[in-house]
Amino acid sequence: MDNDFRMSLMEHLSELRSRLLKCMGAVLVLGVVALVFARPIFGVLMRPVLDALPPDGRALVYTSGIEEINVLMKVGVYCGIFLTTPVILWQLWGFVSPGLYPEERRYASPFVFLGSLAFLLGALFCYFAVLPSMFQFLLNEEESTATAQRLEVGRLRADDALRFLRIGEAERAGKLALEASTGLKESGEGQVPEASRAPSEKVELEARLSGLGLLIDAAAVGFSSPPARLALRQSVEKRAEAVEAFAKEDFGVSARAMDEAASLLAGAAPTRAEELAGLWRLEKELALGKARYVAQAWTRPMLTMDEQLSLVLLLILSFGIIFELPLVMALLGLVGIVKASFLMKYQRHAFVVCLIAAAVLTPTGDVVNLSLMAGPMLLCYEMGVLAVWIIERNRKQDPNVGITPTGV
């Protein structure tokens, strides 16, 4: 190695400052460009969060007038850092290259390309594999989510049954109602927990009133004879009584009035009485299931834009850096800072450190998300050890490849 490559401490610091300024300048320029697209980028970043929220609550809130602007500026800054990854890696290589032989400096382009690719793969792995499962675990309880899914399927089947009743196919309507009712019973949509029965009773009766209205509307088609029209009117009047009792919170009277209204409706159409009774049972079971769901899901997430963005960006950048680990270890091995024997000797200690780091970075306590963080970290460490070992083996085979004693 030529003495021209010798550098004093001040020269090293000056070189470091120059390269840091270049990196900051690249982040600033690319960050300003990213600000133009900050809002759609923010929407893409928040998609795993929004997909984990209930369909009627997929929104983020902001708690101050400038929070939204701050969030968009943060998106621009982090996008600038993300896009500047090749520049940062190039400047890092330029800083350590004076300590390498010319044969080793030819790895500059592969180092920058593989480093950028590794960072991108880490970010994509986090976005598609880690974030969806993590937010599903954080924002949804397994039991209440399963209950909501069963109720949604039951409601769809009930709506189809009412449509068949409306077009005069009562037998098909009764069959669909029986299938939906059987599915709810098999899934365990039983009684509402005792501790939450009182606050859930109102929810249940409100759902019953809505279901009874749908049933009356569907059954009214074809009621042309005077007795049938009279029975239909009496049924509607009974439902009105049920509404009045519900408004006065006389829930017992309201429930009896609804049952009487359903009986009058079935009596008005003797040929469809069995199907109408089955549809009414289904509406009552759906109402009870809704009350149970409300009792289970008594908390609602209200997520702020800034907090969720910070969490998502932290995890994406963490995984990007984790996937850079083999390349960084290879670079350290190339300049002679670490040895493969040292890395293998303290391999167990490194595993423990990786598990602790994964537990700290992972905001959930479940095994799945912890494994998704710790697994790639351990794999990247092993790849780094292998890369250092290959570099050392190549040095032994070619004495011209090695660390110069007069380098950095």
Side-chain angles (χ1 to χ4, degrees):
M1 177 68 65
D2 239 351
N3 288 339
D4 294 340
F5 287 97
R6 292 178 182 272
M7 298 176 68
S8 66
L9 176 60
M10 293 304 297
E11 289 173 332
H12 275 300
L13 294 177
S14 177
E15 176 75 8
L16 178 61
R17 182 185 64 180
S18 174
R19 297 192 179 277
L20 287 176
L21 289 175
K22 292 178 181 178
C23 291
M24 292 176 61
V27 171
L28 179 62
V29 173
L30 294 176
V32 171
V33 174
L35 278 175
V36 180
F37 309 98
R39 188 173 292 277
I41 293 173
F42 176 71
V44 173
L45 291 174
M46 293 297 101
R47 187 170 298 168
V49 183
L50 297 175
D51 289 345
L53 292 171
D56 57 346
R58 289 180 177 173
L60 302 176
V61 301
Y62 52 90
T63 56
S64 67
I66 63 172
E67 181 175 347
E68 186 174 9
I69 298 176
N70 290 338
V71 164
L72 296 179
M73 292 183 65
K74 185 182 293 187
V75 170
V77 171
Y78 276 87
C79 284
I81 296 174
F82 183 85
L83 296 173
T84 314
T85 301
V87 178
I88 296 175
L89 293 175
W90 184 267
Q91 295 301 321
L92 177 62
W93 182 270
F95 182 70
V96 301
S97 61
L100 304 177
Y101 277 106
E103 294 81 1
E104 295 172 326
R105 292 181 201 155
R106 69 177 184 270
Y107 296 116
S109 296
F111 174 80
V112 175
F113 174 75
L114 293 176
S116 303
L117 181 62
F119 189 87
L120 178 61
L121 291 176
L124 292 176
F125 176 81
C126 177
Y127 183 82
F128 289 106
V130 178
L131 293 181
S133 62
M134 185 194 75
F135 282 111
Q136 285 290 341
F137 177 84
L138 286 174
L139 302 178
N140 294 285
E141 293 184 5
E142 183 177 356
E143 185 177 0
S144 61
T145 302
T147 301
Q149 292 175 346
R150 291 191 292 264
L151 288 175
E152 184 177 359
V153 173
R155 183 68 261 171
L156 291 174
R157 288 178 175 173
D159 291 341
D160 285 338
L162 291 174
R163 291 186 181 95
F164 278 111
L165 181 65
R166 189 176 291 110
I167 63 177
E169 297 190 17
E171 184 177 352
R172 183 70 180 275
K175 184 179 179 180
L176 280 175
L178 180 61
E179 291 177 358
S181 180
T182 303
L184 289 175
K185 290 177 181 178
E186 290 178 352
S187 63
E189 297 301 334
Q191 297 296 322
V192 181
E194 292 295 331
S196 57
R197 178 180 298 276
S200 299
E201 187 176 4
K202 184 174 182 179
V203 176
E204 179 184 354
L205 292 179
E206 185 178 6
R208 279 197 200 181
L209 282 170
S210 177
L212 179 60
L214 294 174
L215 182 58
I216 292 174
D217 293 339
V221 179
F223 280 22
S224 56
S225 63
R229 300 296 297 180
L230 177 61
L232 178 62
R233 178 173 181 174
Q234 291 174 344
S235 177
V236 174
E237 289 175 349
K238 278 294 181 182
R239 184 183 181 277
E241 293 178 12
V243 173
E244 290 296 329
F246 178 81
K248 297 176 182 178
E249 296 191 355
D250 195 347
F251 298 139
V253 174
S254 179
R256 288 192 297 271
M258 282 188 281
D259 288 334
E260 292 174 6
S263 299
L264 289 168
L265 188 64
T271 58
R272 296 187 288 177
E274 183 178 353
E275 288 80 6
L276 290 172
L279 285 167
W280 176 235
R281 283 195 300 269
L282 175 59
E283 292 294 345
K284 292 170 69 174
E285 290 167 1
L286 288 172
L288 182 61
K290 182 177 180 180
R292 182 183 179 187
Y293 171 72
V294 171
Q296 290 173 344
W298 56 275
T299 59
R300 294 288 186 274
M302 188 174 67
L303 309 179
T304 63
M305 298 171 63
D306 185 59
E307 290 177 352
Q308 301 313 305
L309 178 64
S310 298
L311 178 59
V312 169
L313 290 177
L314 172 64
L315 290 173
I316 288 178
L317 287 177
S318 298
F319 273 91
I321 294 172
I322 288 171
F323 275 59
E324 295 278 3
L325 186 59
L327 203 63
V328 173
M329 293 173 65
L331 179 61
L332 294 177
L334 192 62
V335 299
I337 296 179
V338 296
K339 302 289 184 181
S341 58
F342 173 83
L343 296 174
M344 292 179 181
K345 178 181 178 180
Y346 292 97
Q347 190 175 45
R348 291 175 297 178
H349 302 78
F351 282 7
V352 174
V353 172
C354 289
L355 290 174
I356 294 174
V360 172
L361 292 174
T362 306
T364 62
D366 63 307
V367 178
V368 175
N369 286 297
L370 181 61
S371 301
L372 288 173
M373 173 68 79
M377 197 179 298
L378 297 174
L379 179 61
C380 289
Y381 179 83
E382 291 298 327
M383 292 175 62
V385 174
L386 178 62
V388 174
W389 178 80
I390 292 174
I391 290 172
E392 292 180 353
R393 188 190 65 172
N394 291 338
R395 281 192 185 137
K396 292 178 182 179
Q397 294 176 353
D398 186 358
N400 293 324
V401 178
I403 302 301
T404 173
T406 61
V408 182

